[in-house]
């Protein structure tokens, strides 16, 4: 026979519960254990209430038993709440770790297909919501079991009173569910507005200059306020529905008190057992209410789980494989002109394209050589750079660094040897000195001062208030474009790379400034292999060997004029 059908929303919680199964089980067991201790105390109270006479010693023992059991219940309940709260923190951290790990290890195509603001929302907002919902789901089960424990104890004291209480308990559960209608809609609206605000915030912080210079500043501000209003409305609805449901529970609880006492009096003519049962019910009612509230929240918070799962699946669908490629064994030669970076019959096509972006590309970059890669927009230059940097894996062919397949290299090892300086430069660190060593994460090389001097960075600071210890925000907004480019190139040289790839990183600078930077690089690291990716003919004139990408095919030997 098939087992009981599990509702889809409960099945959605299984993977998240498994992540912290031991801690969640411990917290839930302690919550139920607290109810057992409390039920024991209330059962002792019921036993005493049905005794016609008791000795002084008996009364003392009864009082001590009731007090001890209630005190134990409080301690165990606190331990359970602490365990569940700790689990929520651990789960939130683990979810963020999994998502950020998926992003860091994702196939570049999967990453660029994801809206950045939605990934931010998943890390900043959805992960905490999923952790909260998962712990709340477990808490609802534990609270319901706790209520059941106290109900069972109530039957020991008085069957009629407990039966009436059970009927009202079922009615209260139904009424709470009805009063909680709309909570799912509120959670959906809250999730949508959170994503919207995250997107607007990213634009506000990263694109403020464009906004301030745009003709739609007031309209955009109105859109931002509308997003704030939408979230506020969703939060109001999200808060009011539980308040309304709690009101329903409390009103029906008052009716339950009347019903229990009336039935007990009518059946036995003695309402004392009914009063004891009511003491139990008044203790169980908050648990029943908490169980219903938690269940309702968990039911309607499934939207956060679906969003988080979809985002994790999207960025991790084609994760880069752990390569086992062996060294080719042909790249041991060293010295000027020796093969260093080799593209062997490399082809690549994006999953969203029918035609290849790169088509049977063969290219060799020798030690100490400068190569200029030119071509029209969309010709495959950026794709070639992303393959050299390990962001993309060739659909066909191999890329070797000194005879070793790039896929056999650890990413940090690869990026210390093949360094790409992109057009959009981000400087990370508390100050300029840290910015030159990736936020202080790389050791300061012995050639630090020499590189800064050769690239003209030291000279830039001679007649300004800027120093290596000057504070720097993450985006480096207070640094000019020319200085930012020089800093990025200096940062690239700090790891002592074998290959430097300048991916349009100097294209926004005047040709004279660009040529000066190239000369600075030659002077500071004469043995470095440099690949300059550009669309400017002036740049090609100042480099040397020029190759052109045309419709994904490489054309070599065009001369500096391209």
């Amino acid at each position: 026979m098939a087992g009981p059908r599990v509702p889809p929303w409960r099945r959605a919680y299984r993977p998240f519960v498994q992540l912290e199964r031991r801690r969640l089980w411990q917290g839930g067991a302690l919550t139920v254990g607290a109810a057992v201790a409390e039920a024991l105390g209330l059962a002792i109270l019921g036993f005493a209430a049905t005794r016609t006479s008791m000795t002084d010693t008996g009364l003392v023992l009864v009082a001590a038993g009731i007090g001890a059991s209630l005190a134990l219940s409080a301690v165990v309940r606190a331990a359970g709440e602490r365990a569940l709260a700790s689990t929520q923190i651990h789960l939130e951290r683990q979810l963020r770790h999994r998502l950020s790990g998926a992003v860091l290890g994702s196939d570049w195509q999967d990453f660029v297909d994801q809206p950045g603001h939605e990934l931010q929302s998943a890390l900043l907002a959805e992960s905490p919501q999923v952790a909260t919902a998962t712990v709340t789901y477990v808490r609802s089960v534990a609270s319901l079991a706790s209520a059941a424990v106290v109900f069972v104890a109530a039957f020991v004291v008085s069957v009629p009173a407990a039966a009436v209480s059970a009927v009202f308990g079922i009615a209260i559960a139904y009424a709470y569910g009805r009063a909680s209608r709309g909570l799912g809609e509120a959670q959906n609206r809250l999730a949508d507005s959170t994503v919207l605000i995250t997107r607007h915030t990213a634009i506000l912080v990263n694109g403020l200059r464009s906004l301030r210079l745009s003709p739609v500043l007031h309209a955009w501000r109105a859109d931002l306020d509308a997003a704030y209003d939408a979230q506020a409305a969703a939060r109001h609805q999200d808060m009011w529905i539980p308040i309304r449901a709690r009101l329903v529970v409390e009103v029906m609880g008052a009716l339950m008190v009347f019903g229990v006492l009336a039935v007990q009096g009518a059946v036995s003519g003695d309402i004392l057992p009914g009063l004891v049962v009511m003491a139990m019910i008044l203790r169980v009612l908050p648990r029943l209410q908490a169980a219903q509230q938690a269940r309702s929240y968990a039911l309607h918070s499934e939207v956060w789980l679906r969003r988080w799962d979809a985002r994790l699946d999207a960025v991790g669908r084609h994760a880069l494989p752990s390569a086992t490629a062996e060294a080719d064994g042909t790249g041991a030669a060293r010295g000027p002109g020796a093969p260093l970076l080799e593209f062997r019959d490399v082809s690549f096509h994006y999953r969203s394209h029918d035609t290849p972006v790169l088509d049977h590309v063969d290219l060799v970059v020798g030690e100490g050589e400068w190569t200029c890669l030119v071509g029209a927009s969309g010709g495959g230059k950026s794709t070639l750079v992303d393959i050299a940097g390990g962001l993309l894996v060739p659909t066909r062919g191999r890329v070797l660094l000194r005879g070793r397949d790039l896929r056999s290299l650890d990413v940090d090892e690869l990026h210390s040897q093949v360094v790409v300086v992109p057009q959009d430069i981000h400087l990370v660190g508390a100050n300029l000195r840290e910015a030159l060593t990736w936020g202080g994460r790389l050791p300061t090389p012995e050639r630090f001062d020499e590189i800064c001097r050769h690239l003209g960075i030291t000279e830039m600071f001679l007649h300004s208030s800027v120093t290596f210890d000057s504070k720097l925000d993450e985006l480096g907004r207070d640094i000019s474009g020319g200085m930012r480019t020089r800093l990025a190139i200096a940062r690239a040289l700090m790891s002592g790379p074998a290959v430097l790839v300048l991916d349009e990183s100097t294209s926004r600078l005047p040709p004279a400034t660009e040529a000066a930077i190239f000369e600075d690089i030659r002077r500071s690291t004469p043995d470095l292999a440099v690949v300059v990716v550009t669309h400017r003919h002036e740049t090609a004139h100042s480099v040397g060997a020029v190759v052109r990408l045309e419709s994904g095919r490489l054309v070599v030997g065009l001369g500096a004029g391209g």
Side-chain angles (χ1 to χ4, degrees):
M1 294 179 60
R5 182 176 179 273
V6 179
W9 72 272
R10 287 190 176 179
R11 288 200 300 268
Y13 279 97
R14 284 179 176 174
F16 300 98
V17 171
Q18 290 298 323
L19 291 175
E20 292 289 344
R21 183 176 181 178
R22 183 182 62 82
R23 286 192 177 96
L24 288 171
W25 174 258
Q26 180 184 14
L30 287 171
T31 300
V32 176
V36 171
E38 186 173 343
L40 177 61
L42 294 175
I44 294 174
L45 176 62
F47 169 78
T50 58
R51 304 297 97 186
T52 56
S53 63
M54 294 186 65
T55 64
D56 292 343
T57 303
L59 289 173
V60 171
L61 290 176
V62 166
I66 294 173
S69 61
L70 294 180
L72 177 62
S73 174
V75 171
V76 175
R77 184 186 302 111
E81 287 298 317
R82 184 178 185 277
L84 290 176
S86 175
T87 302
Q88 182 173 326
I89 295 170
H90 281 281
L91 182 57
E92 180 181 326
R93 194 265 181 205
Q94 190 172 168
L95 291 175
R96 282 176 166 160
H97 172 76
R98 290 187 68 186
L99 186 56
S100 59
V103 171
L104 290 172
S106 66
D107 182 283
W108 189 243
Q109 297 185 65
D110 287 338
F111 173 75
V112 297
D113 287 343
Q114 299 304 307
H117 67 278
E118 292 194 11
L119 286 176
Q120 292 180 46
S121 180
L123 281 168
L124 298 176
E126 291 171 19
S127 294
Q129 290 282 2
V130 169
T132 301
T134 302
V135 173
T136 301
Y137 167 70
V138 173
R139 185 180 283 115
S140 72
V141 176
S143 297
L144 189 60
S146 299
V149 167
V150 181
F151 266 126
V152 170
F155 274 97
V156 175
V157 178
S158 172
V159 173
V164 173
S165 300
V167 171
F168 269 97
I170 295 172
I172 288 173
Y174 174 79
Y176 193 97
R178 297 284 295 176
S180 297
R181 288 181 303 175
L183 191 58
E185 178 191 352
Q187 289 292 310
N188 270 298
R189 291 176 59 192
L190 189 59
D192 290 338
S193 61
T194 299
V195 170
L196 189 61
I197 287 178
T198 305
R199 179 175 62 196
H200 279 70
T201 301
I203 297 173
L204 181 66
V205 174
N206 298 327
L208 182 58
R209 189 171 189 272
S210 298
L211 280 174
R212 294 287 294 274
L213 295 175
S214 75
V216 295
L217 178 61
H218 294 299
W220 190 88
R221 176 177 287 178
D223 290 342
L224 181 61
D225 287 337
Y228 291 153
D229 290 341
Q231 188 182 61
R235 287 180 63 83
H236 275 297
Q237 185 181 11
D238 188 49
M239 289 187 295
W240 161 242
I241 291 175
I243 294 173
R244 180 181 66 192
R246 186 164 59 247
L247 175 62
V248 171
V249 170
E250 291 176 352
V251 171
M252 293 194 68
L255 294 175
M256 181 169 64
V257 171
F258 169 76
V260 168
L261 295 179
V263 170
Q264 181 67 41
V267 170
S268 64
D270 181 9
I271 66 169
L272 184 57
L275 291 174
V276 175
V277 170
M278 283 316 309
M280 293 182 169
I281 299 308
L282 291 176
R283 300 290 293 181
V284 78
L285 194 59
R287 284 192 172 88
L288 186 61
Q289 178 181 322
Q292 280 298 110
Q293 187 172 353
R295 180 188 180 280
S296 181
Y297 178 86
L299 170 63
H300 298 300
S301 291
E302 186 196 357
V303 58
W304 298 103
L305 278 65
R306 290 199 307 269
R307 286 170 180 259
W308 194 91
D309 270 337
R311 198 66 56 213
L312 180 66
D313 178 68
V315 297
R317 187 176 296 123
H318 303 95
L320 293 177
S322 299
T324 56
E326 299 294 333
D328 188 69
T330 62
R334 295 292 181 92
L340 181 59
L341 184 66
E342 302 176 71
F343 290 78
R344 295 186 178 182
D345 194 29
V346 170
S347 297
F348 182 85
H349 74 271
Y350 291 96
R351 288 185 288 272
S352 57
H353 292 65
D354 295 328
T355 57
V357 179
L358 297 178
D359 191 11
H360 300 283
V361 171
D362 288 290
L363 176 65
V364 178
V365 177
E367 293 195 31
E369 293 181 348
W370 281 62
T371 303
C372 185
L373 181 63
V374 299
S377 178
K381 301 190 303 297
S382 295
T383 300
L384 193 70
V385 170
D386 287 344
I387 290 176
L391 290 178
L392 297 174
V393 176
T395 307
R396 171 178 176 169
R398 304 172 69 193
V399 183
L400 306 178
L401 178 65
R402 289 198 174 107
R404 297 177 63 188
D405 194 303
L406 294 191
R407 291 172 296 179
S408 70
L409 300 176
D410 175 76
V411 290
D412 286 344
E413 180 185 0
L414 169 61
H415 297 142
S416 67
Q417 291 298 302
V418 180
V419 181
V420 178
V421 180
Q423 185 177 36
D424 295 323
I425 296 166
H426 294 270
L427 299 174
V428 181
N431 53 51
L432 289 173
R433 189 180 302 277
E434 288 189 3
L436 290 170
T437 55
W438 284 103
R441 292 173 177 84
L442 293 180
T444 303
E446 294 182 0
R447 298 185 62 232
F448 182 90
D449 292 332
E450 179 185 349
I451 292 173
C452 291
R453 186 173 64 255
H454 278 304
L455 285 175
I457 295 172
T458 304
E459 184 179 356
M460 286 181 180
F461 299 155
L462 291 178
H463 305 291
S464 73
S465 59
V466 179
T467 68
F468 283 115
D469 296 319
S470 296
K471 292 183 177 181
L472 175 76
D473 67 12
E474 189 172 349
L475 299 176
R477 288 191 295 262
D478 53 349
I479 297 179
S480 66
M483 182 184 290
R484 184 160 54 246
T485 300
R486 288 179 181 272
L487 286 169
I489 293 174
R491 179 179 63 184
L493 298 180
M494 291 297 174
S495 63
V499 182
L500 174 66
V501 181
L502 302 178
D503 184 14
E504 300 277 7
S505 47
T506 59
S507 61
R508 295 174 181 173
L509 302 178
T513 303
E514 182 182 60
I517 289 177
F518 289 168
E519 183 58 34
D520 290 338
I521 296 173
R522 286 189 173 97
R523 185 170 61 253
S524 63
T525 49
D527 297 329
L528 182 67
V530 180
V531 178
V532 180
V533 181
T534 185
H535 63 277
R536 300 198 315 189
H537 292 302
E538 299 92 337
T539 300
H541 279 293
S542 63
V543 172
V546 178
V547 294
R548 177 184 292 276
L549 267 175
E550 292 182 354
S551 301
R553 290 184 173 272
L554 204 62
V555 182
V556 186
L558 295 177

